Every structure is written in C-alpha cells, then in structure tokens.
Amino acid sequence: MVRLSSPQQLEGLRKSIVERKDRSKPCIALCVGTGCLAYGCTDILTAFKNEVEKNRLQDKVDIRATGCPGFCERGALLTIYPQGIFYQRVKMEDVPEIISETILKGNIIERLLYTDPNTGERYTKEADVPFYKRQQRLLLDSNNKIDPTSIEDYLAIGGYAAFAKALSHMKPEQIIQEIKRSGLRGRGGGGFPTGAKWESTREAHGDIKYVICNCDEGDPGAYMDRSLMEGNPHSVLEGMIIGAYAIGANLGYVYIRHEYPMAVENVTIAIKQAEELGLLGEDILGSGFGFKVKVSRGGGAFVCGESTALMASLEGKVGEPRAKYIHTSEKGLYNRPSDLNNVETWANIPHIILKGADWFNKIGTKGSKGTKIFSLVGKVKNTGLVEVPMGMTLREIVYDIGGGILGGNKFKAVQTGGPSGGFIPESLLDLPVDFDELTRVGSMMGSGAMIVTDENTCMVDMAKYFVGFLQEEACGKCLPCREGLKRMLEILTDITRGDGRKEDIELLERIAATLKDASLCALGGTAANPVMTTIRYFRDEYEAHINERRCPAGVCKELITYSIIDEKCPGCGLCVEPCPTKAITFVAKKKPVILNQKLCIKCGTCCDICKMKAVGVK
Amino acid sequence: MATKIQAIVDRYESDKGQLVSILQDIQTEYYYLPKESLEEVVKLLNVPMSQVYGVATFFKAFSLTPRGRHLIKVCLGTACYVRGANRVVDKMELDLGIKRKETTKDLRFTLETVNCVGCCALGPMVMIDDKYHGQMSSDKVSSLLAKYE
Ligand SMILES: Cc1cc2nc3c(=O)[nH]c(=O)nc-3n(C[C@H](O)[C@H](O)[C@H](O)COP(=O)(O)O)c2cc1C
Ligand code: SF4
Ligand code: SF4
Ligand code: SF4
Ligand code: FES
Ligand code: FES
C-alpha cells in the first residue's frame, strides 16, 4: 500500500475500497473472539475454508474471521451477509449444510437460529434477537462487520474519517472543547471527565507528552476492553491519534495485560498497518504532526491498572502506586505530562468527533452521557457483552436482555464495579444505571462488570472472596490497606467457618472506615465497598452465620452437609465412582445410594454430576 | 542462552521501560525465568539486579522456579467463582496431589489460579497451556487432566 500524504488521499483510498467491494457477494462472518475459541471456532473456520474450496466457491463467497459480537454464551456465532442471517451454537458438523443450503440455495437452517427459551420464538436476524434488540451498540456494532486484522475493512466502514476531519477542520483546542461538551466520562472506573483531563495535559508544561491506553482490565468478570482491542483495534488507535493530536503528544503506549495475547497481536498488526498507510509515524497525512504507538505488556497485577502504578510499570519498575498530590497529567510517565484513558474511552472518541457532541449528548442521563458496555455474567441466562445507553435500569438489563436467572433460580443481587464496587439487592432493581446512581447506592460503575448472583450465592462468602482478592493484589506499600485487609479477611473467614462473634460486624465497619480514610490509593480506598454493601443489604446472612452457625445459601464448607434426597435418587450410580473418598455406596438399581457423612470432604463433585438434583446441601 | 536473551532485548530496542515485556518473552522461551537469564538482562539493559528481581517477583505472571510441562490456570475471577470455580480447583488439587502454585513431582503439571481470562460468559474457565476449556465443573476435571501427557 502507498503512504497517504493528505486527508483527501485517505478519502480517495476509502472510495476505491468501497467500490471494489461487491456488497451482494455472500460473506460468512465467524466470531473468532476468545469466548468462541473455547467453542472450537478455529476448527470451524478451517472447515469453512476447506468446504468453500471443495465446492470451488473461492471467488463467490468471502469468509471473514471477526471479533466478538457479544453473545458469547451462544457461540460459536456466525452472521451471513448480505442478508444478516444469524446462526448460533454452530458446530463443525453444520459447516457443509450451511454452504449447501444457506449459501447456495438461500435456505434458512432452522435449528441454528436463536430460539428464545422463554417464548419459544425463533429469530433469523441478529437485530431481532431479544438479547440485541434493547441494546444500542455504538462501539460493539462493528465487531462482527470487520476483520480486525484488515485496515481496509475498517476504512470501508468509515474508519479514520473522524481523524481526517479533526486534522483538516479542527484546531486542537476545538477538539478538546468538543470532547468536553460531549460530556464523555472515562470508562476506566472513576468516571473522570475526559475533556478536562485532555485539557490539563495539553496545558501542562513540557516538550514531551504521552498518551496511554489502559488495557489492563484487572477487574475480574469484565472483558469489554479485551473485546474492543481484539475486535476493533483501529477504533482505539484512531481515538488515541485524535487525542495525541489534541493534547500535543508524540508518543503513545498501549498497556495490555499478559492474559490477552490476541489483543496484543491484533493491536500490533493494526499499528503496523496504520504506519504503512501514514496514519502513524512522522508527518501524518502531510500535516507535520507525528505520533508513534508502542505496545507494552503487563505482568498480571490488579493494582497496575491504577494510573500511577501503571506508569511505574511502563518505566520497567515495580507497579506500586504513588500519592497523587501532583496529577499524572502534569507529571506522569518519566515525570512528563501524560494522559491515561481506558480502551472504551478511546473507542468513543472517533464517534464523538465524527457525529458531534450534540449527538452524543442526547444519549444517556444528565450526568452520564453515551453508552456503556457491560459484561453481564454469572447466574444469568444470556451472558455476554451488552452495550446500552446510560440510564437503563438493572431490571431491563438482567431480565429483558439477560433473559432472567439461570435454571429458574431466584435472583439475589447484582455485583457491579468489581472489587471497588458492591452488591445491589432486588429492591433496587429499578435503579437506572449510571456513574452517579451506582455510587449513591454504595457501589460503583467500575469497568462495567455485572455479576448476577442467585439464591445459591452466599453473600458473606462473596465479601470474603473480594477481600481475599484485594489482599492478594494490593501492593502492600501502605499500612492501612495491608493490615486492614488482612484483618478483614481473618474476620470474614472466621464468620464463614462458624466462628464469628457478635461484635464482628461492627468491627468490620470500623476497619472499613479507616481503610477509606487512610489508604494511599483507590484500591484500599474502595476496598471495603463489597463488604459494606453486603452488610447493608444482607445483614441477615451475616447473622445466620454468626448466631446460628448456618450458611443459608449452602456454600460455606464448614457449615454445610451434603446428603442424598432419597425420593429423587433412582440410584443411577453416576456419582459413585467420581467421589474422591468413596463416600457414596451403590445399593441396588432403583434404590437410592448412601452417602457416608464421615468420609465426605464436601468437594461437591456429586452435586455437580447429579442431573436429578438428588444431592442436597444444607 | 546469552544470544537468545540478546535477541529478545534487541526486539525491544534495549528499552528499559519494556522490562516486563522482555521478561515475558524470556519466560515464554524457558517456561520460567532462569537466574542466568536475569543476570544477562542486567548486563544488557544496564539496570540494577534489584530492579529486575523486584519486577520478576512483584508480578504473578513470573516464576523463578522451573514449571511443569503443562501449565493449568483455573480462573477464579468473580464470574467463574459464582459458578463454582473453587470446586474445580479443589478437585484439581485432589487429583494432582498438589496445592495451587505447586508443580507435580514428575513435572507434568503446574497448577495456578488467575483472576479472569476474559471468557467470563463460559465460566468456570480452565486454561491448559494455550487452550481454553469452558463450562468446567468438578466432575469433568479427571477426564480433562487425563488428556495431557
Ligand atoms: C486498583 C485500581 C485498578 C484499576 N484498574 C483499571 C483497569 O484495569 N483499567 C482501567 O482502564 N482503569 C483502571 N483503573 C482506573 C485507572 O486508574 C484510571 O483512572 C483510568 O484508566 C483512567 O481512564 P479513564 O479516564 O478513561 O477512565 C484502576 C484504578 C485502581 C485504583
Ligand atoms: S492502598 Fe493498598 S494498593 Fe494502594 S498503595 Fe496502599 S497498599 Fe498499595
Ligand atoms: S448421580 Fe444423583 S441420581 Fe445418580 S446415584 Fe448419584 S445422587 Fe442418585
Ligand atoms: S461432596 Fe465430594 S466427597 Fe462428599 S460425597 Fe460428594 S463427591 Fe464424595
Ligand atoms: S467471543 Fe464469540 S461471541 Fe464473544
Ligand atoms: S471471571 Fe473467569 S474468565 Fe472472567
């Protein structure tokens, strides 16, 4: 490809790409995102290639490997263009039929369509599926329309047009004003206004400035950053280029956690392509503005997502936070002005520049504009990534999009904001979700993880889980966080073992207050949120553990026993062999098995195996 | 070893800021960070051993001791946890006769836990080497392990 030397040439290239594309030509778009990898999509991709060759259709059908369109629960996912036919749960065996029936004859294969488990209705098109219908997919929509390793695909859907517009029609100050006016708040957790951050970095003194993309995504249960970086890396890069131009930065870093190899690979390819086209490097599009981007991998420490720790890690040092008396926008990486934004924040930028602040402003709530991607996971029927306008209620997200609770169980709480956030109970299901409302009820937006829990989740155990997580992940530099978390974990462990004392709840509350006031960084500062919300909304569960030595959800090992519910057990014997301690004895066919409590180590294997739900937990 | 480390450091243009990435690449090569490799990095990057050692011990991704032929990572991220991932690790420990963070005597497996590999919709997730195994449960553990030599 030739190096472009003006925005006009970029438009020319785009036109020629679009003209070359035959829109009526069938295209099989298969998700090769990480979720679908677990469903064996690479083999399916190869099978499609072979089948197409076998039928000598190479020139008549395109096969496109795409990023994640969100509905990972239903993988492997497939969209057939131009009709937009949506197939789910696709397997190797289905490949020949899809070619012979749908591609060659235009017939729909009914069994591969999504069927609503609640109504039994079938849907042919992606957009009609209830999971997608209520979403507003500003950022995710392109994921299954492009091959993330093809800059041509990105250009064909209008990629880099926002940057060309910014470069040829807007001054850096104007760009910053536009972002400020849009009301965009950072998607990395705290919700800090993006425009203001850019402005202070622009105004900071220094010849060398940096922009950084935070793709550490340490929040367990969240994977929207991964999905964007893998599925549409150019959109993130375009945001960064616009930001660098507005701020006056010439070097950028993309910091990616090491658990995301495909994200590293795809963004590295994207950077190379953008360099070849002259969208990165010296004298971009003949404007005199130069900008380079480097990729750096994290080492798997949650605290490294924090801005100052991340920058320390980028300098090759131990990832410990420092006090932020001086903002990183003034003294960040190598003590130079640095602007750090989250992946999703960067991906929003091209849309705002292209369509304008007023357009963006109309989406969302008063204090939180635009859409937000949530990873809706846990005990919900339709799990995956959902992108909705800010302000949609929890109930709509969990029930209308998520399809309700798995296995007909009872809803208990939604956890948002990860280890910095909290649990939201059923009574607050009508809460409109935005930055401020979540904080108001004691939780947080965080990165957008939404973990749905049901009656089988123990809230004390969950509190212990998060404190344990944070205790392991904290850097240990400051005392309140180091000792406070350790003590909290001890108390919570005691409670889950049935050794809790009456005054423990109050003690937890006191430690929580200290952590909030005295921690150096936000990890310690918000660490008590999961504990405090579970105490606030599920105090009765704490009391059951402490006063009655009982775990109502049947989770805490020391307080439960497994037993066979004789009426439900037809003695199929499936659970006998796998029991590691031979605690289960086969009696005879059609007779319930016998479980020896003395031998049982409560590993739960029998419970996982039994399809008759004949293993009870109390 | 020296030439291999040299090649890795060259890949990052001897940029000290890329220390974490450099160590990642070394670990990909040797499955852990041999002492001599760290000494080599100290020489080539001209940074103190304390810094290299500090980084190598701070991040969970790094191991200073040899690891097994197969690296098992059980996800204990929240999404996997609420779907029973702790029962999966418990069963792994039972089957392998080791605790998490340990390696079996025959160097067949190393057992680790991670906090989310980004496939939460398919939880509980287990990664063995580079392969993803979704929707795990304790009763599927034994047959999964049997597939690895
Ligand atoms: C302990 C801790 C972990 C964090 N982890 C992340 C993370 O994984 N990804 C992220 O984008 N921001 C994370 N943040 C927030 C960042 O420090 C920073 O505020 C954010 O990346 C700024 O981007 P934004 O303005 O676009 O939100 C974390 C903060 C703390 C205190
Ligand atoms: S609050 Fe915790 S994580 Fe943050 S600096 Fe202190 S010890 Fe480290
Ligand atoms: S698997 Fe269930 S039904 Fe079969 S023997 Fe065991 S408890 Fe009974
Ligand atoms: S919980 Fe585990 S040890 Fe106990 S009976 Fe079931 S399989 Fe056996
Ligand atoms: S990874 Fe395929 S749908 Fe998410
Ligand atoms: S929580 Fe296990 S993959 Fe995300």
Side-chain angles (χ1 to χ4, degrees), chain A residues 562 575 578-584 595-596 599-607 615:
Chain A
Y562 285 92
C575 58
C579 171
T581 58
K582 307 267 168 282
I584 303 177
L595 191 157
N596 183 341
L599 292 176
C600 176
I601 52 166
K602 302 172 191 174
C603 72
T605 304
C606 53
C607 206
V615 183

PDB file of all heavy atoms in Angstrom, chain A residues 562 575 578-584 595-596 599-607 615, ligand 4:
ATOM      1  N   TYR A 562     -23.630 -32.443  52.824  1.00  0.00           N
ATOM      2  CA  TYR A 562     -24.255 -32.983  51.625  1.00  0.00           C
ATOM      3  C   TYR A 562     -25.035 -34.227  52.031  1.00  0.00           C
ATOM      4  O   TYR A 562     -24.589 -34.987  52.891  1.00  0.00           O
ATOM      5  CB  TYR A 562     -23.196 -33.370  50.604  1.00  0.00           C
ATOM      6  CG  TYR A 562     -22.560 -32.197  49.903  1.00  0.00           C
ATOM      7  CD1 TYR A 562     -21.397 -31.614  50.399  1.00  0.00           C
ATOM      8  CD2 TYR A 562     -23.122 -31.671  48.742  1.00  0.00           C
ATOM      9  CE1 TYR A 562     -20.815 -30.525  49.757  1.00  0.00           C
ATOM     10  CE2 TYR A 562     -22.547 -30.592  48.090  1.00  0.00           C
ATOM     11  CZ  TYR A 562     -21.387 -30.020  48.599  1.00  0.00           C
ATOM     12  OH  TYR A 562     -20.831 -28.960  47.957  1.00  0.00           O
ATOM     13  N   CYS A 575     -22.621 -40.999  40.442  1.00  0.00           N
ATOM     14  CA  CYS A 575     -21.804 -40.231  41.369  1.00  0.00           C
ATOM     15  C   CYS A 575     -20.855 -41.116  42.178  1.00  0.00           C
ATOM     16  O   CYS A 575     -19.989 -40.604  42.874  1.00  0.00           O
ATOM     17  CB  CYS A 575     -22.703 -39.438  42.316  1.00  0.00           C
ATOM     18  SG  CYS A 575     -23.819 -40.509  43.239  1.00  0.00           S
ATOM     19  N   PRO A 578     -16.806 -41.196  40.809  1.00  0.00           N
ATOM     20  CA  PRO A 578     -16.055 -39.938  40.904  1.00  0.00           C
ATOM     21  C   PRO A 578     -15.824 -39.434  42.338  1.00  0.00           C
ATOM     22  O   PRO A 578     -14.957 -38.589  42.528  1.00  0.00           O
ATOM     23  CB  PRO A 578     -16.912 -38.937  40.132  1.00  0.00           C
ATOM     24  CG  PRO A 578     -17.835 -39.757  39.299  1.00  0.00           C
ATOM     25  CD  PRO A 578     -18.066 -41.011  40.081  1.00  0.00           C
ATOM     26  N   CYS A 579     -16.560 -39.906  43.297  1.00  0.00           N
ATOM     27  CA  CYS A 579     -16.358 -39.400  44.656  1.00  0.00           C
ATOM     28  C   CYS A 579     -14.942 -39.753  45.120  1.00  0.00           C
ATOM     29  O   CYS A 579     -14.591 -40.923  45.210  1.00  0.00           O
ATOM     30  CB  CYS A 579     -17.387 -39.982  45.621  1.00  0.00           C
ATOM     31  SG  CYS A 579     -16.983 -39.570  47.329  1.00  0.00           S
ATOM     32  N   PRO A 580     -14.140 -38.718  45.428  1.00  0.00           N
ATOM     33  CA  PRO A 580     -12.724 -38.971  45.702  1.00  0.00           C
ATOM     34  C   PRO A 580     -12.479 -39.776  46.976  1.00  0.00           C
ATOM     35  O   PRO A 580     -11.413 -40.357  47.133  1.00  0.00           O
ATOM     36  CB  PRO A 580     -12.116 -37.572  45.815  1.00  0.00           C
ATOM     37  CG  PRO A 580     -13.257 -36.678  46.096  1.00  0.00           C
ATOM     38  CD  PRO A 580     -14.458 -37.288  45.478  1.00  0.00           C
ATOM     39  N   THR A 581     -13.440 -39.804  47.887  1.00  0.00           N
ATOM     40  CA  THR A 581     -13.194 -40.503  49.146  1.00  0.00           C
ATOM     41  C   THR A 581     -14.053 -41.755  49.301  1.00  0.00           C
ATOM     42  O   THR A 581     -14.131 -42.327  50.379  1.00  0.00           O
ATOM     43  CB  THR A 581     -13.482 -39.570  50.343  1.00  0.00           C
ATOM     44  OG1 THR A 581     -14.839 -39.134  50.226  1.00  0.00           O
ATOM     45  CG2 THR A 581     -12.557 -38.379  50.361  1.00  0.00           C
ATOM     46  N   LYS A 582     -14.667 -42.159  48.202  1.00  0.00           N
ATOM     47  CA  LYS A 582     -15.553 -43.327  48.216  1.00  0.00           C
ATOM     48  C   LYS A 582     -16.612 -43.207  49.318  1.00  0.00           C
ATOM     49  O   LYS A 582     -16.923 -44.170  50.018  1.00  0.00           O
ATOM     50  CB  LYS A 582     -14.753 -44.629  48.428  1.00  0.00           C
ATOM     51  CG  LYS A 582     -13.609 -44.803  47.433  1.00  0.00           C
ATOM     52  CD  LYS A 582     -14.058 -45.604  46.216  1.00  0.00           C
ATOM     53  CE  LYS A 582     -13.053 -45.566  45.085  1.00  0.00           C
ATOM     54  NZ  LYS A 582     -13.060 -44.329  44.281  1.00  0.00           N
ATOM     55  N   ALA A 583     -17.142 -42.027  49.449  1.00  0.00           N
ATOM     56  CA  ALA A 583     -18.131 -41.801  50.498  1.00  0.00           C
ATOM     57  C   ALA A 583     -19.526 -42.246  50.071  1.00  0.00           C
ATOM     58  O   ALA A 583     -20.439 -42.334  50.885  1.00  0.00           O
ATOM     59  CB  ALA A 583     -18.152 -40.320  50.883  1.00  0.00           C
ATOM     60  N   ILE A 584     -19.690 -42.514  48.778  1.00  0.00           N
ATOM     61  CA  ILE A 584     -21.017 -42.895  48.295  1.00  0.00           C
ATOM     62  C   ILE A 584     -21.023 -44.383  47.938  1.00  0.00           C
ATOM     63  O   ILE A 584     -20.142 -44.863  47.247  1.00  0.00           O
ATOM     64  CB  ILE A 584     -21.420 -42.053  47.069  1.00  0.00           C
ATOM     65  CG1 ILE A 584     -21.381 -40.564  47.437  1.00  0.00           C
ATOM     66  CG2 ILE A 584     -22.806 -42.436  46.577  1.00  0.00           C
ATOM     67  CD1 ILE A 584     -21.676 -39.637  46.297  1.00  0.00           C
ATOM     68  N   LEU A 595     -24.832 -41.967  51.273  1.00  0.00           N
ATOM     69  CA  LEU A 595     -23.684 -41.073  51.426  1.00  0.00           C
ATOM     70  C   LEU A 595     -23.210 -41.101  52.871  1.00  0.00           C
ATOM     71  O   LEU A 595     -23.983 -40.826  53.790  1.00  0.00           O
ATOM     72  CB  LEU A 595     -24.097 -39.654  51.025  1.00  0.00           C
ATOM     73  CG  LEU A 595     -23.011 -38.587  50.855  1.00  0.00           C
ATOM     74  CD1 LEU A 595     -23.532 -37.480  49.949  1.00  0.00           C
ATOM     75  CD2 LEU A 595     -22.568 -37.989  52.176  1.00  0.00           C
ATOM     76  N   ASN A 596     -21.946 -41.444  53.048  1.00  0.00           N
ATOM     77  CA  ASN A 596     -21.373 -41.528  54.388  1.00  0.00           C
ATOM     78  C   ASN A 596     -20.781 -40.173  54.793  1.00  0.00           C
ATOM     79  O   ASN A 596     -19.732 -39.753  54.310  1.00  0.00           O
ATOM     80  CB  ASN A 596     -20.292 -42.612  54.399  1.00  0.00           C
ATOM     81  CG  ASN A 596     -19.696 -42.801  55.782  1.00  0.00           C
ATOM     82  OD1 ASN A 596     -19.814 -41.933  56.653  1.00  0.00           O
ATOM     83  ND2 ASN A 596     -19.038 -43.933  55.982  1.00  0.00           N
ATOM     84  N   LEU A 599     -17.043 -39.744  55.758  1.00  0.00           N
ATOM     85  CA  LEU A 599     -15.996 -39.773  54.732  1.00  0.00           C
ATOM     86  C   LEU A 599     -16.026 -38.540  53.816  1.00  0.00           C
ATOM     87  O   LEU A 599     -15.048 -38.209  53.158  1.00  0.00           O
ATOM     88  CB  LEU A 599     -16.142 -41.033  53.873  1.00  0.00           C
ATOM     89  CG  LEU A 599     -15.851 -42.371  54.562  1.00  0.00           C
ATOM     90  CD1 LEU A 599     -16.126 -43.525  53.611  1.00  0.00           C
ATOM     91  CD2 LEU A 599     -14.399 -42.402  55.029  1.00  0.00           C
ATOM     92  N   CYS A 600     -17.181 -37.883  53.772  1.00  0.00           N
ATOM     93  CA  CYS A 600     -17.376 -36.782  52.809  1.00  0.00           C
ATOM     94  C   CYS A 600     -16.475 -35.593  53.135  1.00  0.00           C
ATOM     95  O   CYS A 600     -16.444 -35.112  54.264  1.00  0.00           O
ATOM     96  CB  CYS A 600     -18.842 -36.350  52.826  1.00  0.00           C
ATOM     97  SG  CYS A 600     -19.155 -34.928  51.769  1.00  0.00           S
ATOM     98  N   ILE A 601     -15.709 -35.144  52.099  1.00  0.00           N
ATOM     99  CA  ILE A 601     -14.874 -33.958  52.310  1.00  0.00           C
ATOM    100  C   ILE A 601     -15.497 -32.714  51.672  1.00  0.00           C
ATOM    101  O   ILE A 601     -14.858 -31.683  51.494  1.00  0.00           O
ATOM    102  CB  ILE A 601     -13.449 -34.172  51.741  1.00  0.00           C
ATOM    103  CG1 ILE A 601     -13.543 -34.644  50.293  1.00  0.00           C
ATOM    104  CG2 ILE A 601     -12.645 -35.154  52.588  1.00  0.00           C
ATOM    105  CD1 ILE A 601     -12.221 -34.563  49.557  1.00  0.00           C
ATOM    106  N   LYS A 602     -16.755 -32.828  51.281  1.00  0.00           N
ATOM    107  CA  LYS A 602     -17.526 -31.704  50.750  1.00  0.00           C
ATOM    108  C   LYS A 602     -16.895 -31.080  49.510  1.00  0.00           C
ATOM    109  O   LYS A 602     -16.760 -29.866  49.412  1.00  0.00           O
ATOM    110  CB  LYS A 602     -17.726 -30.652  51.846  1.00  0.00           C
ATOM    111  CG  LYS A 602     -18.439 -31.232  53.055  1.00  0.00           C
ATOM    112  CD  LYS A 602     -18.470 -30.252  54.191  1.00  0.00           C
ATOM    113  CE  LYS A 602     -18.927 -30.930  55.462  1.00  0.00           C
ATOM    114  NZ  LYS A 602     -18.855 -30.062  56.619  1.00  0.00           N
ATOM    115  N   CYS A 603     -16.465 -31.923  48.603  1.00  0.00           N
ATOM    116  CA  CYS A 603     -15.845 -31.407  47.382  1.00  0.00           C
ATOM    117  C   CYS A 603     -16.898 -30.966  46.363  1.00  0.00           C
ATOM    118  O   CYS A 603     -16.612 -30.201  45.456  1.00  0.00           O
ATOM    119  CB  CYS A 603     -14.921 -32.450  46.761  1.00  0.00           C
ATOM    120  SG  CYS A 603     -15.808 -33.823  46.009  1.00  0.00           S
ATOM    121  N   GLY A 604     -18.118 -31.457  46.504  1.00  0.00           N
ATOM    122  CA  GLY A 604     -19.195 -31.004  45.632  1.00  0.00           C
ATOM    123  C   GLY A 604     -19.302 -31.727  44.296  1.00  0.00           C
ATOM    124  O   GLY A 604     -20.185 -31.446  43.500  1.00  0.00           O
ATOM    125  N   THR A 605     -18.412 -32.686  44.067  1.00  0.00           N
ATOM    126  CA  THR A 605     -18.433 -33.384  42.779  1.00  0.00           C
ATOM    127  C   THR A 605     -19.767 -34.083  42.537  1.00  0.00           C
ATOM    128  O   THR A 605     -20.348 -33.972  41.455  1.00  0.00           O
ATOM    129  CB  THR A 605     -17.291 -34.423  42.718  1.00  0.00           C
ATOM    130  OG1 THR A 605     -16.071 -33.740  42.967  1.00  0.00           O
ATOM    131  CG2 THR A 605     -17.212 -35.086  41.356  1.00  0.00           C
ATOM    132  N   CYS A 606     -20.278 -34.775  43.532  1.00  0.00           N
ATOM    133  CA  CYS A 606     -21.540 -35.496  43.351  1.00  0.00           C
ATOM    134  C   CYS A 606     -22.664 -34.536  42.989  1.00  0.00           C
ATOM    135  O   CYS A 606     -23.506 -34.823  42.142  1.00  0.00           O
ATOM    136  CB  CYS A 606     -21.878 -36.301  44.600  1.00  0.00           C
ATOM    137  SG  CYS A 606     -21.882 -35.342  46.111  1.00  0.00           S
ATOM    138  N   CYS A 607     -22.622 -33.373  43.614  1.00  0.00           N
ATOM    139  CA  CYS A 607     -23.640 -32.355  43.375  1.00  0.00           C
ATOM    140  C   CYS A 607     -23.578 -31.874  41.920  1.00  0.00           C
ATOM    141  O   CYS A 607     -24.592 -31.687  41.259  1.00  0.00           O
ATOM    142  CB  CYS A 607     -23.375 -31.201  44.323  1.00  0.00           C
ATOM    143  SG  CYS A 607     -24.806 -30.254  44.703  1.00  0.00           S
ATOM    144  N   VAL A 615     -28.758 -34.620  45.112  1.00  0.00           N
ATOM    145  CA  VAL A 615     -27.815 -34.332  46.189  1.00  0.00           C
ATOM    146  C   VAL A 615     -28.204 -32.997  46.815  1.00  0.00           C
ATOM    147  O   VAL A 615     -28.217 -31.968  46.151  1.00  0.00           O
ATOM    148  CB  VAL A 615     -26.355 -34.259  45.670  1.00  0.00           C
ATOM    149  CG1 VAL A 615     -25.404 -34.023  46.829  1.00  0.00           C
ATOM    150  CG2 VAL A 615     -25.982 -35.523  44.924  1.00  0.00           C
TER     151      VAL A 615
HETATM  152  S1  SF4 C   4     -19.202 -33.944  48.247  1.00  0.00           S
HETATM  153 FE1  SF4 C   4     -17.424 -34.942  47.348  1.00  0.00          FE
HETATM  154  S2  SF4 C   4     -16.634 -36.217  48.989  1.00  0.00           S
HETATM  155 FE2  SF4 C   4     -18.686 -35.683  49.576  1.00  0.00          FE
HETATM  156  S3  SF4 C   4     -19.915 -37.336  48.830  1.00  0.00           S
HETATM  157 FE3  SF4 C   4     -19.940 -35.780  47.239  1.00  0.00          FE
HETATM  158  S4  SF4 C   4     -18.284 -36.385  45.869  1.00  0.00           S
HETATM  159 FE4  SF4 C   4     -17.980 -37.504  47.784  1.00  0.00          FE
END
